[in-house]
Amino acid sequence: QVQLVESGGGLVQAGGSLRLSCAASGSIFRLNTMGWYRQTPGKQRELVARITSDSSTNYADSVKGRFTISRDNAKNSVYLQMNSLKPEDTAVYYCNLNQVSGNQVNYVYWGQGTQVTVSS
């Protein structure tokens, strides 16, 4: 099993910055993808950014140039630096870990979520 613990959410004014952190523990494979998703009431959870074990990244168009995802493999941690925040970034942000076992079983894990609120 894998546990994901997020931290760093909160309330910030538009234009401000926040940094989210997520620490993974448990049975973590060497090759995996970690990422951040977000969800607002009544909407589907959407990808914000993700990063592979070899640090390949991709971002949602809405956050490109403002958000930066990074990871520390030694700490099994992933981070999301969010700059130039906008009210539309307000959401619950979820950490995600996706890994495939040697026998090709895909495992997906989620954190409990952390609220990010951006005031105008």
Side-chain angles (χ1 to χ4, degrees):
Q1 267 291 6
V2 171
Q3 294 79 43
L4 302 175
V5 178
E6 301 135 335
S7 60
L11 173 64
V12 65
Q13 287 189 332
S17 298
L18 282 175
R19 185 174 189 249
L20 304 183
S21 300
C22 173
S25 61
S27 181
I28 300 166
F29 304 157
R30 185 176 60 86
L31 300 179
N32 60 64
T33 298
M34 298 188 76
W36 292 94
Y37 289 70
R38 65 187 181 188
Q39 189 171 23
T40 55
K43 292 189 176 181
Q44 283 193 328
R45 194 170 296 186
E46 64 175 7
L47 173 70
V48 176
R50 59 189 171 201
I51 183 168
T52 65
S53 301
D54 61 359
S55 297
S56 295
T57 60
N58 65 301
Y59 294 88
D61 287 344
S62 60
V63 306
K64 283 181 181 176
R66 299 188 298 122
F67 291 10
T68 302
I69 191 169
S70 61
R71 64 186 290 164
D72 184 334
N73 289 334
K75 295 182 179 180
N76 292 319
S77 294
V78 64
Y79 310 97
L80 186 68
Q81 178 65 43
M82 304 185 293
N83 298 328
S84 302
L85 282 160
K86 304 175 180 179
E88 51 263 44
D89 295 318
T90 296
V92 177
Y93 283 70
Y94 295 91
C95 179
N96 168 271
L97 185 146
N98 193 319
Q99 57 188 14
V100 180
S101 68
N103 57 351
Q104 301 305 303
V105 175
N106 188 45
Y107 295 90
V108 181
Y109 302 95
W110 294 96
Q112 79 282 1
T114 185
Q115 178 71 44
V116 171
T117 302
V118 184
S119 63
S120 57

